[in-house]
Every structure is written in structure tokens, then in C-alpha cells.
Amino acid sequence: MIYDDHCELCVRCSTWLSHQLTQVEMRFLPSSDPQVYDLYGDLPWYRIELMVVTDTGVAWVGSSAFIMCLWATVRYNRTSYRLSGPSLAPVAERFFHTVSSNRSVVSGMLKPTRCTAGSCSHQPAEPLPPPVGATRS
């Protein structure tokens, strides 16, 4: 996940996400890092929108990246599927756009906090056992 480390709301959201149990390994990359710029600076959304990029180079931007962040979590994985469905995808997109376009205002109301060493990382959670009574396929 590539986030704007000059935006307090973005920093807080990435910190929150770094504390969630995830199904996949996630790395949180500050967009001001020159190495991150070298890797992704040619993408047209760089430092404008939230970006999620896989190790294979597939990228999601904006509300799609927000949904992918939820998808990666154990707790909000099912919610990500609901938000990406035909009835809620427009709502999720409007929500993300509203928050994103007002992030400087929200950030101005927040006291600064930082992850250690300017970036955060998180290892995936141990796989959860299937729910009681569930069958394996």
C-alpha cells in the first residue's frame, strides 16, 4: 500500500491497517520515499490517490485500493465483497472520494503520529480455522 506520509489521515489509516490481522503480507510504503518513487513514480496516480500494488505489478487506485485494503484483512474481508458488489460499489466510491477530497481538512484536525522509522509493515495472521459446522471443499 502506497500512502501519502505527509497526510495525517493517510498515516493514521495506514497505521490502523498495519495493526489488523491480514490474510496476505502487507507493506506500507510512504510516497515520499525516493525508492518508492523510483518503483511507482511513473504511475499517473502517484501521490494523488491511495494505491495498492501487488508484487506482480497489478495496481488498484482510489476506492478500489480502499476495498483491496479491506479485502486483505481477516476482519473486513467479507465487507470488501459487499462493498464491491453492484449495489454498494457506488456508495463505497462516493464515500472514499468524499474522504479523500477532504483529507487535508481532516488531517488538519488530527495531532501528528508516526510509525517507527517512517514506515509500517505487517505479517499475515495465522489461517483461521473454519467455522463450526463448516465443511471443507
Side-chain angles (χ1 to χ4, degrees), residues 1-4 7 9-10 13-14 17 45 47-52 60-70 83 88-104 106:
M1 178 182 121
I2 301 168
Y3 69 96
D4 181 355
C7 166
L9 177 62
C10 301
C13 289
S14 65
L17 188 57
W45 316 283
R47 295 198 74 164
I48 297 171
E49 292 281 349
L50 170 67
M51 292 177 28
V52 171
W60 289 270
V61 178
S63 62
S64 298
F66 168 70
I67 290 173
M68 287 307 297
C69 288
L70 293 178
L83 290 174
L88 291 180
V91 175
E93 187 171 347
R94 282 193 302 273
F95 168 78
F96 182 83
H97 176 71
T98 300
V99 171
S100 181
S101 62
N102 291 294
R103 64 190 174 116
S104 63
V106 175

Side-chain angles (χ1 to χ4, degrees), residues 8-98:
E8 187 58 32
L9 177 62
C10 301
V11 170
R12 291 216 184 174
C13 289
S14 65
T15 301
W16 173 84
L17 188 57
S18 73
H19 289 88
Q20 301 301 305
L21 293 176
T22 58
Q23 304 178 96
V24 294
E25 180 181 355
M26 294 187 70
R27 289 182 291 155
F28 302 89
L29 307 173
S31 62
S32 68
D33 184 322
Q35 292 177 334
V36 176
Y37 179 81
D38 289 345
L39 291 171
Y40 305 110
D42 60 337
L43 295 174
W45 316 283
Y46 192 79
R47 295 198 74 164
I48 297 171
E49 292 281 349
L50 170 67
M51 292 177 28
V52 171
V53 183
T54 66
D55 291 340
T56 61
V58 176
W60 289 270
V61 178
S63 62
S64 298
F66 168 70
I67 290 173
M68 287 307 297
C69 288
L70 293 178
W71 172 86
T73 68
V74 171
R75 183 173 185 178
Y76 298 103
N77 178 268
R78 288 184 182 158
T79 302
S80 74
Y81 283 100
R82 289 186 198 110
L83 290 174
S84 63
S87 60
L88 291 180
V91 175
E93 187 171 347
R94 282 193 302 273
F95 168 78
F96 182 83
H97 176 71
T98 300

